[in-house]
Amino acid sequence: MNTFEIGEKGKGRKLLINLDRGEKLLESIMEALNKADMKNAVCLSCIGSLQKAYYNRAQGLNDDMILDHQYIEGGLEMVSMQGVVIDGMPHFHFSFSDLKGVYMGHVEEGCEILYLAEILFEELDGVNLTKVKNEKGIAHFTQK
Ligand SMILES: [Zn+2]
């Protein structure tokens, strides 16, 4: 993993992350953000390729959230990923494809880079929020 800080803290600082084959997507992002002391950030861009993808999708309309956990292995082109990190807690959704189709969902730990990933974050300044789970276990933004 290589990381490059662009700009200054408090002035829209960016973090460019370059991941290599075999590195973990979510785990490496969090390591890079922690190292840069960037607790609140938005993912501006994320492209690359994956060899393992772990993700989930909401299923049904029940009050209690039911997640459909998925795992796909193979040559996967990562088309995009978006989401935010608030108070050090990430929430990303991504889309990727192989020759059979396009897949998308909530990014879980364990996703592994095939050739590379290029990811750009912008720090969100002045954020005083955290995430708290409600009675259904769903985390929502809350003022600190
Ligand atoms: Zn999600």
Side-chain angles (χ1 to χ4, degrees):
M1 171 167 62
N2 282 318
T3 61
F4 305 90
E5 280 192 44
I6 303 163
E8 295 173 41
K9 200 166 179 61
K11 296 180 179 176
R13 178 173 64 132
K14 316 273 189 305
L15 185 66
L16 185 63
I17 304 169
N18 196 184
L19 300 181
D20 203 354
R21 188 174 188 125
E23 292 185 305
K24 298 278 195 288
L25 179 65
L26 185 56
E27 294 87 331
S28 299
I29 287 171
M30 293 316 296
E31 182 187 331
L33 290 172
N34 285 334
K35 199 171 161 192
D37 192 28
M38 202 178 271
K39 290 195 174 354
N40 300 292
V42 57
C43 181
L44 298 177
S45 178
C46 175
I47 60 168
S49 54
L50 298 168
Q51 53 183 310
K52 292 178 184 171
Y54 291 87
Y55 63 105
N56 67 59
R57 304 171 301 186
Q59 296 293 298
L61 296 169
N62 296 344
D63 274 356
D64 290 319
M65 184 167 54
I66 299 170
L67 297 176
D68 170 28
H69 295 273
Q70 297 285 318
Y71 169 68
I72 293 183
E73 193 174 312
L76 305 166
E77 192 71 9
M78 184 165 49
V79 182
S80 69
M81 183 182 79
Q82 57 185 337
V84 293
V85 177
I86 296 295
D87 199 23
M89 290 176 267
H91 188 189
F92 303 124
H93 288 200
F94 63 0
S95 58
F96 55 95
S97 67
D98 62 14
L99 295 178
K100 289 179 257 167
V102 178
Y103 314 90
M104 52 202 85
H106 174 107
V107 179
E108 293 185 346
E109 289 188 348
C111 297
E112 208 169 288
I113 306 305
L114 175 55
Y115 296 115
L116 63 80
E118 297 171 349
I119 309 152
L120 179 64
F121 281 94
E122 180 173 325
E123 188 167 34
L124 298 172
D125 300 311
V127 175
N128 195 26
L129 299 172
T130 189
K131 286 183 97 174
V132 175
K133 286 186 177 177
N134 67 12
E135 68 283 354
K136 297 291 182 188
I138 300 168
H140 289 280
F141 298 128
T142 307
Q143 202 74 38
K144 272 187 178 177

